[in-house]
Amino acid sequence: MTRTAGNRRSDHEAAHRPLPLTAGGHDVGRYGWDAPAPPQAVVRPVAHPLRAPGGALLTGTHPADHPWHSGLGLALPDVNGVNLWGGPTYVRDHGYRPGELGTVREAAPARQDGDTLGHDLLWCDGSGRELLHETRRIRVGAGPGGAWSLEWSSELTTAGDRAVALGSPGSNGRTGAGYGGFFWRLPPLPADRVTVFTARQAGEEAVNGSRADWLALAVDDGAASWTAVLAGTDPRTRQDPWFVRVAEYAGIGSALAWSAPVRLEPGRRLPITLRLVVADGVRDRAGAEALLAR
């Protein structure tokens, strides 16, 4: 039976005890299942809340504009036509329409070993049929001046002996909206206090859809100011364009299928690996590069 936004519920809507994320002995956030969640959301494990060294909130969850957005993690809007992101599905020549929402289940419970967290997941269609297997690793570490880093590693493989197509609204015809893959929903932020930039470009319009070794986001909010830098850490992820929203809402992603679907063959492994570095204060380009270098 196909599940839609009106009747789909994840097997994991029951609360799961979140796991702490610590850097240098300091609590920087939590990781766990995004439950309970609104009916349109695909419940999945995310990092939320996350906080800057000075305590500023870095992540948002279930905002009114996109109730299926939550925290920092992996979200896939089109897996063989199944929506594993949440909300409506973008259909070529028709726009957003209600569609089949999938579910995410555990293959093995989340586990911690020192500063590294592991989680094995199953991405399934609305009937529970497995589409993808994911092996996930998250490592948190401390840096100079109170900065901290989070290394996210997801490895996707097909669940069966057939290829799987990974798509996005962009690959289905919506220009500039190729989101899907790694995605970070930020809390409500005044657009005029947010600056997004790479080594060569600045501003939402210029950075959205661009390819760059790193992307920085600086929030100028007085004593609560902070800067975050994101960078892909494997050759495949480094080729993904950046997805950026600032004016409509604050969100950043590493777009897996920006303008064309990605075909994952059986036996092949698809990595999505990034490093996030967060520090207090507003940094310029040189400061952002220095954070990554450390």
Side-chain angles (χ1 to χ4, degrees):
M1 179 182 68
T2 297
R3 298 184 184 183
T4 62
N7 62 17
R8 188 234 10 106
R9 292 293 186 273
S10 167
D11 293 338
H12 290 275
E13 282 189 352
H16 290 241
R17 183 171 61 87
L19 297 175
L21 299 174
T22 59
H26 298 286
D27 186 351
V28 300
R30 293 288 184 273
Y31 171 87
W33 284 91
D34 174 35
Q40 287 186 306
V42 174
V43 181
R44 55 188 181 270
V46 298
H48 174 76
L50 291 176
R51 294 189 178 276
L57 183 65
L58 304 178
T59 52
T61 187
H62 307 310
D65 53 71
H66 293 78
W68 48 92
H69 287 184
S70 183
L72 179 150
L74 206 65
L76 303 171
D78 185 342
V79 181
N80 281 358
V82 179
N83 183 337
L84 280 153
W85 175 282
T89 298
Y90 191 86
V91 180
R92 185 179 294 275
D93 299 326
H94 296 282
Y96 284 101
R97 296 286 187 272
E100 180 181 359
L101 295 183
T103 60
V104 183
R105 297 188 285 112
E106 285 185 333
R111 54 208 176 274
Q112 279 185 307
D113 182 8
D115 59 3
T116 301
L117 182 151
H119 209 178
D120 298 327
L121 300 166
L122 304 171
W123 296 73
C124 308
D125 66 13
S127 67
R129 180 173 63 92
E130 296 173 13
L131 300 171
L132 293 170
H133 293 172
E134 180 193 352
T135 300
R136 177 177 297 186
R137 299 291 181 270
I138 299 170
R139 182 177 181 273
V140 181
W148 58 262
S149 66
L150 183 149
E151 297 175 6
W152 183 288
S153 172
S154 289
E155 192 173 76
L156 300 176
T157 56
T158 64
D161 58 1
R162 295 185 178 182
V164 172
L166 306 174
S168 72
S171 70
N172 290 328
R174 187 185 172 200
T175 303
Y179 55 81
F182 182 85
F183 182 72
W184 171 16
R185 176 65 197 237
L186 288 98
L189 296 169
D192 61 352
R193 297 193 177 188
V194 179
T195 303
V196 61
F197 58 93
T198 66
R200 296 185 177 181
Q201 297 170 305
E204 176 181 352
E205 184 175 348
V207 176
N208 186 49
S210 69
R211 290 179 170 86
D213 289 342
W214 55 265
L215 177 149
L217 179 101
V219 176
D220 188 357
D221 192 19
S225 297
W226 54 272
T227 300
V229 189
L230 267 172
T233 55
D234 74 273
R236 197 218 59 76
T237 304
R238 284 196 290 269
Q239 293 301 311
D240 287 343
W242 295 107
F243 172 78
V244 176
R245 291 289 186 267
V246 174
E248 180 185 0
Y249 63 85
I252 292 176
S254 174
L256 176 64
W258 179 259
S259 58
V262 173
R263 183 178 172 89
L264 180 58
E265 300 287 347
R268 298 293 299 272
R269 299 178 183 275
L270 190 150
I272 302 173
T273 65
L274 298 99
R275 182 172 179 239
L276 168 69
V277 183
V278 182
D280 287 334
V282 174
R283 312 297 173 100
D284 58 12
R285 284 189 170 96
E289 290 180 332
L291 285 177
L292 280 179
R294 293 172 182 172

